[in-house]
Amino acid sequence: MDIDAWVWWLIAAVGLGIPLVLTAMPEFGMFSVGAVAGAVTAALGGGVVTQIIVFVAVSVALLAVVRPIAARHRAAQPEHASGIDALKGRQAVVLERVDGNGGRIKLAGEVWSARSYAAEQVFEPGSQVDVVEIDGATALVM
């Protein structure tokens, strides 16, 4: 029983797809697509050398084109801050007078201890302030 070359290419495509699923490395998917292109070339009657050239060309083209696009897309996505980092830069409302010694603000729906970032600044109740930093359980505001 002789197995056609295109079947071997499809087996290779599946074999390259398995590590893609297990490791989430997209490069394996690109090689898998290259193997499918080799299978199509074999099914259309292309010789072994042509099949290999098509496999390599498609795989390299995908690596050269898709990877940089994916990297730019990943880099363009803003990081999501969490915990106290997510509170920096937010606005809060002064509940009790805030100065260099302390006070209270309402920040993200919770009451926080606060003190002014610059010791000479004073904020009266009802004022809007910006959270500059979190120092322990105290928000430093401007």
Side-chain angles (χ1 to χ4, degrees):
M1 181 169 116
D2 226 2
I3 298 179
D4 291 333
W6 66 270
V7 175
W8 287 113
W9 281 108
L10 290 180
I11 291 170
V14 170
L16 289 165
I18 291 171
L20 167 67
V21 173
L22 296 177
T23 64
M25 290 179 61
E27 291 82 2
F28 284 109
M30 295 174 205
F31 289 131
S32 183
V33 171
V36 170
V40 169
T41 303
L44 293 174
V48 174
V49 173
T50 306
Q51 295 168 33
I52 292 172
I53 289 172
V54 167
F55 166 72
V56 170
V58 169
S59 298
V60 168
L62 286 172
L63 285 170
V65 173
V66 174
R67 283 184 72 202
I69 291 170
R72 278 195 305 272
H73 180 68
R74 262 192 309 250
Q77 293 179 343
E79 291 186 30
H80 295 287
S82 61
I84 61 171
D85 290 331
L87 299 174
K88 293 178 186 175
R90 302 245 340 234
Q91 284 196 333
V93 177
V94 176
L95 299 176
E96 294 175 12
R97 183 174 193 241
V98 175
D99 56 25
N101 296 321
R104 297 245 182 248
I105 60 170
K106 186 163 192 167
L107 172 62
E110 298 179 349
V111 177
W112 279 73
S113 300
R115 72 175 186 268
S116 59
Y117 188 71
E120 67 277 356
Q121 287 183 312
V122 176
F123 302 99
E124 297 300 329
S127 302
Q128 291 273 332
V129 291
D130 293 320
V131 177
V132 178
E133 194 176 316
I134 303 291
D135 181 21
T138 302
L140 302 178
V141 299
M142 301 183 77

